[in-house]
Amino acid sequence: MLSADKRRAIIDLVKREVVPAIGCTEPIAVSLCVARAAEMLGQLPEKINVRLSANILKNAMGVGIPGTGMIGLPIAIALGAIVGRSEYGLEVLKDATPEAVEQGRQYIDKRGISIDLKEGIEEKLYIEVEVLGGDGSALAIISGGHTNFVFLQHNGQILLDARVQQGSGDSSDDVELKLCTVFDFAMESPIEEIEFIMEARRLNKSAAESAFVADYGHSLGRTLRSERELSIMGDSIFSRIISYTAAACDARMGGAMVPVMSNSGSGNQGITATLPVVVYGEECGASHEQMVRALMLSHLTVIYIKQSLGRLSALCGCVVAAAGSSCGITYLMGGGFDEVAMAVKNMIANLTGMICDGAKPSCALKLASGVSTAVLSAMMAMEHRCVSKLEGIIDEDVDRSIRNLTTIGRDGMNETDSLILNIMTDKC
């Protein structure tokens, strides 16, 4: 049984990592950094210089910005300066209006925005914004986490410098987890302490349903509910899991002005950790308590794996998030810890190596692949079918298997990450 102090620490961790966000978190984090710099400046900047790590640049190039009908960083930067409020965190642009968007277009036309790759840094999540206006200047830096400010400077005066003290800024590192700890927490915690996770169900299901009646991204979710596709796949729990998850991604990547519940700085990870569990649970008549525990198991598994993988990598986050949802589904199928561990191993054996080539509408396809595998992995686990230690990167110990996955994604695929960015920028 986990101690009350340990439970409180994990609850605080989940509340930090599972938060609402509007739009793709990378360009939104840039908007947040711009907003904070502009607030320090005290006026609309005349010049905005933005310097980004390669992973931030990669994930911000091709995604829709909520409420704008536009793609990419320039409008995110302009709106961050015009209407952004840093106190809103990852909902920094929720006050954007059509009038503000038009003002943003005019601001872009003035060519006062400069976007460059920040050279010579190891941190994969790094955003540096310098704003100039009148006789004033301000500088803000986010590093390690999408809302983690590590440096603030106004007119040469340093207001915050936490770069050395906080290092990577990854606030999830202060709670040590193993998969058995994650499972015990989700199963044993008093229900009233963890039912806050149900807000993820409300937000992410609402986002999916908004995409069933609109045209966002590639409309994969809505396509999967059409007559022809239903005649192929059937109107089953499996097809609904895929369509709901893809639809929420359609809305988010297509720039819908709807919040989703994110996980570890990613809306798509939050969607993938939530909707397969929700759809399966609803279809199978899960009780309120079962749904809460399944969602907590899913989301905390994602947080645990991301602790060693890092927030951004060349490995697609849907691999991690779908592993979480597979755990939640396995529990709802009646599985215990042994079956959950099997499901994780089956996931790692299948999807390791799926690349992240930026945030974009086609991410819905990757989420669909991930949650399909999540269901298959859970079904195999419930039959006690599990990839063995003799196969590939799987170890007898599930936590070592997770470390093998994250080592590949964090270290082994660094060259892949650079090559992906080169290919993407060469197209511009």
Side-chain angles (χ1 to χ4, degrees):
M1 184 74 177
L2 297 176
S3 68
D5 287 345
K6 180 73 169 182
R7 290 203 317 273
R8 279 194 294 270
I10 295 175
I11 288 169
D12 289 343
L13 168 63
V14 176
K15 288 184 175 180
R16 288 197 302 270
E17 300 294 352
V18 181
V19 297
I22 297 177
C24 177
T25 43
E26 276 71 56
I28 295 302
V30 176
S31 291
L32 175 63
C33 199
V34 172
R36 186 69 186 92
E39 288 164 357
M40 289 189 293
L41 186 65
Q43 67 176 78
L44 183 65
E46 298 165 9
K47 178 71 176 176
I48 305 175
N49 299 316
V50 178
R51 292 173 280 272
L52 307 171
S53 60
N55 286 80
I56 290 289
L57 189 61
K58 179 182 73 174
N59 282 355
M61 290 173 62
V63 69
I65 306 303
T68 69
M70 300 174 67
I71 290 174
L73 280 169
I75 189 63
I77 292 168
L79 287 178
I82 294 166
V83 296
R85 295 181 64 178
S86 64
E87 65 192 79
Y88 291 163
L90 293 178
E91 296 181 285
V92 61
L93 297 184
K94 69 179 180 180
D95 289 341
T97 62
E99 292 75 19
V101 173
E102 180 55 34
Q103 189 179 352
R105 292 178 189 271
Q106 295 173 10
Y107 191 95
I108 293 169
D109 290 341
K110 293 179 181 177
R111 301 187 180 279
I113 297 173
S114 171
I115 304 169
D116 294 295
L117 184 66
K118 180 71 175 182
E119 302 288 354
I121 58 168
E122 295 184 4
E123 174 58 57
K124 294 184 177 182
L125 198 167
Y126 182 91
I127 302 165
E128 179 181 306
V129 175
E130 178 188 33
V131 295
L132 306 169
D135 295 327
S137 66
L139 179 67
I141 298 175
I142 287 175
S143 179
H146 290 80
T147 62
N148 189 56
F149 285 96
V150 298
F151 189 84
L152 299 173
Q153 179 177 289
H154 178 225
N155 289 338
Q157 180 181 359
I158 296 175
L159 307 179
L160 169 71
D161 190 353
R163 291 172 293 185
V164 175
Q165 296 92 324
Q166 288 186 278
S168 69
D170 193 340
S171 60
S172 69
D173 286 342
D174 58 0
V175 180
E176 184 176 347
L177 296 172
K178 297 179 66 176
L179 190 64
C180 62
T181 310
V182 169
F183 185 82
D184 289 346
F185 174 82
M187 297 302 108
E188 298 173 0
S189 294
I191 196 68
E192 63 273 11
E193 291 184 3
I194 60 174
E195 58 187 350
F196 65 87
I197 200 67
M198 290 291 277
E199 182 67 2
R201 174 191 188 182
R202 185 186 71 81
L203 288 182
N204 293 347
K205 189 175 180 183
S206 177
E209 290 171 344
S210 72
F212 287 138
V213 295
D215 187 16
Y216 295 120
H218 296 297
S219 289
L220 178 60
R222 191 170 68 169
T223 298
L224 292 172
R225 305 307 299 160
S226 64
E227 183 176 348
R228 181 176 61 187
E229 279 65 31
L230 287 174
S231 71
I232 297 171
M233 298 184 64
D235 190 9
S236 63
I237 297 174
F238 186 61
S239 66
R240 285 192 286 277
I241 284 174
I242 299 171
S243 64
Y244 265 82
T245 307
C249 182
D250 288 332
R252 178 174 177 261
M253 295 287 95
M257 186 60 86
V258 294
V260 301
M261 191 65 80
S262 66
N263 184 304
S264 303
S266 167
N268 281 349
Q269 286 170 188
I271 289 167
T272 307
T274 302
L275 287 174
V277 177
V278 167
V279 174
Y280 184 86
E282 290 178 349
E283 293 289 337
C284 295
S287 68
H288 174 75
E289 179 174 345
Q290 288 173 324
M291 188 73 84
V292 169
R293 296 195 186 284
L295 282 173
M296 183 56 72
L297 175 60
S298 178
H299 276 274
L300 189 55
T301 298
V302 178
I303 293 169
Y304 164 47
I305 299 175
K306 292 290 287 186
Q307 281 184 329
S308 57
L309 177 63
R311 293 184 181 274
L312 299 176
S313 72
L315 180 68
C316 178
C318 83
V319 174
V320 173
S325 61
S326 189
C327 293
I329 291 171
T330 301
Y331 159 71
L332 291 175
M333 287 178 171
F337 176 74
D338 287 345
E339 289 77 19
V340 164
M342 290 178 189
V344 171
K345 291 181 185 180
N346 291 338
M347 287 295 302
I348 293 171
N350 193 331
L351 289 183
T352 297
M354 181 183 286
I355 64 168
C356 171
D357 54 344
K360 59 209 176 303
S362 61
C363 285
L365 292 165
K366 297 190 179 188
L367 267 64
S369 297
V371 300
S372 300
T373 304
V375 176
L376 295 175
S377 296
M379 291 191 298
M380 283 183 63
M382 292 306 295
E383 296 294 328
H384 277 231
R385 301 289 183 181
C386 179
V387 178
S388 75
K389 65 178 182 179
L390 301 177
E391 302 173 73
I393 66 170
I394 300 304
D395 194 283
E396 187 70 31
D397 181 81
V398 66
D399 294 291
R400 288 198 192 100
S401 298
I402 290 170
R403 291 296 182 273
N404 293 342
L405 166 72
T406 58
T407 300
I408 291 169
R410 184 190 63 244
D411 301 328
M413 296 176 71
N414 280 335
E415 185 61 30
T416 301
D417 220 11
S418 298
L419 183 57
I420 290 168
L421 183 63
N422 289 339
I423 291 170
M424 292 173 65
T425 53
D426 281 348
K427 297 188 299 181
C428 297

